[in-house]
Amino acid sequence: MTTTSKRTAGPTANPIIGGEKVPVRPRRRASTVALFFMASAGLLVSVVAASLFGSANIGPLDVVSTILRHIGLGGIAPNPPLPKLLDALIWESRFPRVLLAAAIGAALAVSGAVLQAVTRNPLADPYLLGVSAGASTGAVAVLLLGIGGSISLSTGAFLGGLVSFGVLLLLLGGGRVATPSRVVLTGVVVAQFFTAVTSVILMVSGDANSTRGFTYWLLGTLAGARWEGVTVTVVIILAGLIAIQFFAPALDAFTFGWDSAAALGINVTAARIWLLVLTAVITSAAVAASGAIGFIGLLVPHAVRILASPTHRSLLPLSAIVGAIFLIWVDTFARTAFSPHELPAGVITALLGAPAFALILKRLES
């Protein structure tokens, strides 16, 4: 019995599946390329512009000059060096925080896009696999129980996220699972279990100050951005995003179901396991650096699908860029709008994400 893929009518048709090139409409392809370049330019502008916001008034050319000098391109810097205090303010405080926001926004957006395709669930987000709950358990275990000796809270969170994902794979029989619904349900079980463990640790060992600090971290904040942690997080996320891009044809095939993907020549089990592992790693890195920041992984992929080609070769990089821009400006608002007080970025994404997602749902239904 031969399985063929039909070309679906409408602007969201024509994915590239299993090596079979199905042409995308030229107008949609051109608009996607234009959107990609516009989004890339917007990301560069956002990185510089967001670094301007703060108590000290520093011009954009000064920000660009400082960054160029620190990356070894001082010969093309447009302005002379700033005083040491202002230089440190940009390079040691503002810029690493903006860079971390971009990396985390990209990671969460791509993870959401991947899990929505793998599970065929439009409501899937990066925390579907229970990674966030496991990271919270790892963080609170380090903070309150002293497990791990001298390791940092972010390291404990990263390891906790990986442990929770390991439990998920164990319950799934090493990834050899027949239906997407079982992945979703198993992720819910793992998340509930680690959430309960976190609650027990807080109730037994936590005091008012530690519980307050952990709750603030859990809401999602980038206030602790420092170069050491930022560098590690960015490297892990960037490597994961590049690796995920190679699975774009498999993700296109998954949108038609796992059986159809197998009929089109996709090694479903291997691709599924690799994609789950990669999303778990970059999500763990993101949560370890900032806590759980919601709605980006749910909202951004749907918004990008409305604007551009739905094929994952385009969807993944565009989601990464749009997610990066979105979190950069959310964090900028969170740290400046109520100065000297600072809101967790996760609170702002929830306030913005809920009505925005309602609008997208209405658009998709119409």
Side-chain angles (χ1 to χ4, degrees), residues 67-82:
I67 295 172
L68 290 175
R69 284 190 178 84
H70 280 281
I71 63 175
L73 299 176
I76 60 173
N79 277 13
L82 289 173

Side-chain angles (χ1 to χ4, degrees), residues 8-31:
T8 306
T12 61
N14 313 324
I16 302 172
I17 300 175
E20 179 184 353
K21 294 185 179 180
V22 184
V24 178
R25 290 183 177 183
R27 182 176 299 177
R28 175 55 66 92
R29 178 185 295 151
S31 65

Side-chain angles (χ1 to χ4, degrees), residues 103-104 106-115 118 125-127 129 131 158 161-162 165-166 168-169 233-248 250-251 254 269-287 316:
I104 292 173
L108 295 178
V110 170
S111 293
V114 169
L115 291 176
V118 169
D125 72 353
Y127 309 128
L129 304 179
V131 170
F158 181 71
L162 295 184
F165 177 71
L168 175 82
L169 279 186
T233 302
V234 170
V235 169
I236 292 174
I237 289 175
L238 185 60
L241 295 181
I242 293 172
I244 288 172
Q245 188 66 33
F246 287 103
F247 290 93
L251 288 168
F254 285 165
T269 299
R272 186 172 60 225
I273 292 174
W274 273 109
L275 286 167
L276 292 178
V277 168
L278 290 170
T279 54
V281 169
I282 63 175
T283 302
S284 296
V287 174
L316 294 176

Side-chain angles (χ1 to χ4, degrees), residues 140-236:
V140 77
V142 169
L143 182 66
L144 299 182
L145 301 182
I147 294 177
S150 60
I151 67 172
S152 66
L153 182 144
S154 58
T155 303
F158 181 71
L159 294 176
L162 295 184
V163 168
S164 66
F165 177 71
V167 173
L168 175 82
L169 279 186
L170 184 64
L171 294 175
L172 291 176
R176 297 182 298 274
V177 57
T179 60
S181 60
R182 187 176 170 191
V183 175
V184 175
L185 294 174
T186 307
V188 171
V189 170
V190 172
Q192 291 298 317
F193 172 77
F194 280 97
T195 299
V197 173
T198 301
S199 300
V200 169
I201 295 174
L202 283 174
M203 292 293 295
V204 172
S205 302
D207 55 29
N209 290 331
S210 60
T211 301
R212 188 182 302 111
F214 176 75
T215 302
Y216 185 80
W217 173 84
L218 194 61
L219 290 173
T221 177
L222 290 87
R226 299 295 180 270
W227 271 118
E228 276 188 26
V230 169
T231 302
V232 173
T233 302
V234 170
V235 169
I236 292 174

Side-chain angles (χ1 to χ4, degrees), residues 97-110:
R97 182 163 179 165
V98 171
L99 190 62
L100 182 63
I104 292 173
L108 295 178
V110 170

